[in-house]
Amino acid sequence: MPLSLTSSQDSFQSRFFRMNVQPPCPPPRLLELGRQSLLHNEALAIMALEELPIELFPPLFMEAFAGRHTEALKAMVQAWPFLCLPLGALMQDHQPHLDIFQAALDGLDVLLAQEVRPRWWKLQVLDLRRKTHQDFWTLWSGMKVSVCSLLEPEPAQPMQKRCRVEAQAGLKPVQAPVEVLVDLCIKEGTLDETLSYLLKKAKKRGKLLHIRCQKLRIFTMPMQSIRKILKVVQLDSIQDLEVNCIWKLATLSRFLPHLGRMGNLRRLLLSRIHILPHTTPGQENCVNQLSAQFLNLPHLQELYLDSVSFLEGRLHQVIKVRRGTSSAAKPGFFRFITIAVSIFACWGHGQCAQCTQKSSRCLNTPLETLSITNCLISESDLTYLSQCLSVSLLKDLGLSGVNLTSLNLESLQVLIERTSATLQELDLDECGIMDSQFSALLPSLSPCSQVATFTFCGNPISMAMLESLLHHTMGLSKLSHVLYPAPLESYEDVHGTLHLGLLAQLHARLKQLLCKSGRPSMFWVSTSPCPHCGDQILYDTEPILCPCYLPD
């Protein structure tokens, strides 16, 4: 499993690389020869670290890393002169060997083992993110010596003064934990050796070594292993969580205590959570747990529910509860829906259209994305979303894969109108929307002044409806991308055989209308599934065909 690098807060990290030292400008070749010569005698290099100029540390560290000088690396971590060591950015260019990674952690471990931290100790953060601070090593290697704004004086003087006072009083300096920043991707199989070693060190040092993870991805893996990892991670550091597992509610319930401690979560994706056809008391308890944990996510801004099997017909229960009905009197399943949807039913204003009393369940920050995909929902669910959901700041609305064929879409029309001031992306792919329904939606699109992308592929729409859509959206200056299905007139028969020549003619017609309307730059692309393999065929000026259409 690849070990990716993570971060906490950008403002928190940026100060770690600011110093008033101007990077030197020696010839790169001379600097390279100097560090290579020093590392020829590793023992001598380690002895020289105390007297080594600060500007030589990064290039020497790079040389030791590339040359697998483990003992030198271990010593350099202990003597690192900056507050942050961006090891992950260096691992981006060099395939890390386990022994090199272990040497770096062992050097940190030596520091943590000391009861009183040495006076030269600067290191506070070991950053294992691969995609941050990428210019640090390049800058200090002398390749971009003109760039020095990244470095300015480190704010360590007050701490040094305080430590001197404590030392004079015979007290040990307070030992703040060293932070290890890492993105985690938990997949099926045995743990990656580097991750296992990191977890081992974190368990050994306890409060002295904190693993902070901004992004966490969980794929199929035994729950026991997942919980083992999460017990070591600082859960309040997680801001982006994806759970892509085929879990039953009973399995999800074992994960929920950890979810409830992710109080700074901004983005949550739950995928493929299933409930058995006949609800059991045990399942109701699981739903109660889930509803309770949603209360602990006040900063959630993006919510994605994909292939969640228990939403149909339950969203309207929230309206009754928020009007004053006690949620404790509702079955556990309904209570889950109450809490789960209420996290985006109020926007931090203390009340909504269906709620007249202030509630601690409201979000502190507005929800910006709501995506319900590949789920079954009912007409009453749409009614709830249109009436109860406070959507004034919603930017992204997605209902891809939600079958709306048999539903009255007046509620969806109201929902789009209520988001018109801020809505930027609207996704209605594969919803089974037909001409009569689509026609009812068109007036609600006209006020959406901020919308930039509208996609509704996989719906049986005629050419007349596409032309009507173009007419209704012509005044939307920010609308730049429209992904539309191949119109019904471009199929040869009822079996769905696409006629590329007809599609080309219809697409040319739309392009002509765009030019006449003064919007030739608007990007309209048609898509349709390949009848042989199901892959999408794209068409702009020329078709981009899947291999099924190409000769052997």
Side-chain angles (χ1 to χ4, degrees), residues 490 492 498-508 539 543:
S490 59
E492 294 185 35
L498 184 65
H499 191 294
L500 295 179
L502 291 174
L503 178 60
Q505 294 177 19
L506 296 174
H507 184 78
Y539 192 97

Side-chain angles (χ1 to χ4, degrees), residues 3-9 13 84 88 125-133 180-184 198 211-216 237-239:
L3 184 65
S4 220
L5 310 180
T6 184
S7 73
S8 267
Q9 303 170 352
Q13 296 160 356
C84 180
V125 175
L126 176 62
D127 191 350
L128 299 180
R129 298 174 302 165
R130 292 184 184 272
K131 297 183 179 180
T132 55
H133 306 309
V180 178
L181 310 179
V182 56
D183 278 343
L184 293 179
L198 175 60
I211 297 180
R212 303 188 67 84
C213 171
Q214 182 176 351
K215 297 180 180 180
L216 174 62
S237 67
I238 299 175
Q239 299 182 22

Side-chain angles (χ1 to χ4, degrees), residues 137-261:
W137 300 105
T138 303
L139 185 148
W140 282 104
S141 67
M143 297 175 64
K144 294 184 179 179
V145 295
S146 62
V147 182
C148 60
S149 60
L150 190 63
L151 313 167
E152 67 180 40
E154 53 187 75
Q157 189 61 29
M159 177 63 74
Q160 292 173 350
K161 291 181 178 179
R162 187 174 66 190
C163 289
R164 284 199 295 269
V165 172
E166 290 173 347
Q168 292 171 1
L171 301 176
K172 293 181 180 180
V174 177
Q175 293 192 355
V178 173
E179 310 283 354
V180 178
L181 310 179
V182 56
D183 278 343
L184 293 179
C185 182
I186 305 175
K187 295 183 178 180
E188 187 174 9
T190 58
L191 288 179
D192 179 81
E193 289 182 310
T194 54
L195 176 57
S196 296
Y197 199 75
L198 175 60
L199 296 176
K200 178 182 177 181
K201 291 294 184 182
K203 290 183 65 176
K204 177 182 178 181
R205 292 303 169 191
K207 295 181 179 180
L208 296 179
L209 184 63
H210 286 178
I211 297 180
R212 303 188 67 84
C213 171
Q214 182 176 351
K215 297 180 180 180
L216 174 62
R217 305 286 184 268
I218 301 177
F219 295 89
T220 303
M221 194 177 193
M223 180 56 67
Q224 182 178 359
S225 300
I226 294 174
R227 296 177 69 185
K228 178 181 177 181
I229 296 172
L230 295 183
K231 285 181 180 179
V232 183
V233 175
Q234 301 294 307
L235 296 181
D236 62 346
S237 67
I238 299 175
Q239 299 182 22
D240 188 338
L241 171 65
E242 288 189 9
V243 178
N244 292 281
C245 302
I246 303 177
W247 283 353
K248 296 178 182 178
L249 278 177
T251 306
L252 178 63
S253 68
R254 300 172 61 193
F255 175 77
L256 292 178
H258 303 286
L259 176 64
R261 293 167 56 196

Side-chain angles (χ1 to χ4, degrees), residues 456-457 466 482-487 503 506-507 510 524-527 539:
F456 56 105
C457 307
L466 293 179
V482 176
L483 273 69
Y484 64 95
L503 178 60
L506 296 174
H507 184 78
L510 288 174
W524 280 56
V525 178
S526 64
T527 67
Y539 192 97

Side-chain angles (χ1 to χ4, degrees), residues 77 87 100-110 126 128 180 194 197-198 201 209:
V77 169
L87 186 61
I100 297 298
F101 183 77
Q102 289 179 342
L105 288 183
D106 287 345
L108 180 60
D109 191 58
V110 170
L126 176 62
L128 299 180
V180 178
T194 54
Y197 199 75
L198 175 60
K201 291 294 184 182
L209 184 63

Side-chain angles (χ1 to χ4, degrees), residues 263-297:
N264 291 309
L265 200 64
R266 266 64 173 174
R267 179 180 182 271
L268 172 62
L269 182 151
L270 290 179
S271 179
R272 298 182 292 177
I273 309 298
H274 296 278
I275 187 171
L276 297 177
H278 303 288
T279 304
T280 65
Q283 288 178 333
E284 290 188 3
N285 291 335
C286 295
V287 174
N288 287 336
Q289 286 181 284
L290 181 57
S291 65
Q293 300 307 332
F294 267 91
L295 301 179
N296 299 321
L297 310 177

